[in-house]
Amino acid sequence: MKIIKFGGKSLANGIGINTVLNIISEKSKSNNKIIIIVSARGNTTNQLEALLELAKSKQDFRANFEAFKKEQLIPFYSTNFEDDFSKLYTLFRGVQYLGDYSSKIKDEVLAYGELLSVKTITALLAKQGIEASAVDSRALVKTNSNFGNAITLEKETQLNIESFFKASTKNNIHIV
């Protein structure tokens, strides 16, 4: 099993994301299971934080949110993020009503950066004819409730990861 990690800058639109896809394509030719770990793409985390702050200040965040959505759809406009965008909008709307947010809400919002990245890379690989599965790491990695600075519950996480990958026979590439 090979594990490869790509950071946000390498996943930014343009040359970066194409390089990542080429690397994954080359690695896919082996018969090994491959786990690709991806960060949020480009400035996604900063954009999500800025949207949270805008909503917290009770300002209209909708134009900035629309721009965020448009950027997330590049380079593959047919990726279906409607559920994700709807949940984010609901979270931002709640923050706007309250004029505040907790560390738990911030963690939930920021996690969407990685979730959108996972879906994008999986869809782009499928477009190239490479079968890959999107994996939501929240189902595998368990933490304590210290939001904003959580600590991994190592035994539970290890059991989840081992169980998932032992049972996984769908394909040899997992995007996490």
Side-chain angles (χ1 to χ4, degrees):
M1 180 179 308
K2 292 194 178 227
I3 301 172
I4 305 168
K5 164 77 166 70
F6 294 104
K9 286 184 182 181
S10 66
L11 295 164
N13 292 331
I15 295 171
I17 201 162
N18 288 329
T19 301
V20 166
L21 293 170
N22 288 335
I23 291 169
I24 296 171
S25 177
E26 282 302 311
K27 298 292 182 186
S28 73
K29 294 172 184 168
S30 74
N31 289 327
N32 294 329
K33 277 194 178 181
I34 301 170
I35 302 167
I36 306 295
I37 310 292
V38 295
S39 296
R41 296 173 48 225
N43 291 325
T44 300
T45 301
N46 293 338
Q47 291 171 318
L48 289 169
E49 283 182 307
L51 282 162
L52 268 175
E53 288 301 314
L54 197 60
K56 178 182 171 183
S57 66
K58 298 193 175 211
Q59 295 182 45
D60 189 354
F61 63 87
R62 290 177 295 183
N64 293 50
F65 186 55
E66 289 303 316
F68 169 81
K69 288 167 45 176
K70 185 177 179 182
E71 187 174 328
Q72 289 304 306
L73 291 171
I74 299 169
F76 192 57
Y77 292 97
S78 64
T79 305
N80 186 354
F81 291 147
E82 285 311 309
D83 286 344
D84 301 298
F85 290 155
S86 176
K87 289 174 187 173
L88 277 170
Y89 181 82
T90 301
L91 288 165
F92 292 135
R93 216 43 194 146
V95 168
Q96 187 179 42
Y97 284 133
L98 294 173
D100 200 7
Y101 59 86
S102 66
S103 295
K104 181 178 181 178
I105 293 298
K106 182 177 182 179
D107 284 355
E108 184 173 350
V109 166
L110 296 184
Y112 275 93
E114 282 75 15
L115 296 171
L116 296 171
S117 184
V118 163
K119 289 181 178 183
T120 298
I121 298 302
T122 304
L124 288 168
L125 289 169
K127 185 179 178 184
Q128 293 182 0
I130 300 170
E131 186 181 348
S133 60
V135 180
D136 186 338
S137 64
R138 297 174 298 179
L140 303 177
V141 179
K142 298 301 174 188
T143 65
N144 65 11
S145 298
N146 188 14
F147 300 106
N149 196 23
I151 296 172
T152 303
L153 302 175
E154 291 187 29
K155 286 184 181 181
E156 187 176 350
T157 296
Q158 182 176 352
L159 288 173
N160 287 345
I161 291 170
E162 287 174 0
S163 174
F164 176 82
F165 286 107
K166 280 181 185 173
S168 176
T169 57
K170 186 175 178 185
N171 60 41
N172 66 334
I173 302 176
H174 301 279
I175 313 298
V176 183

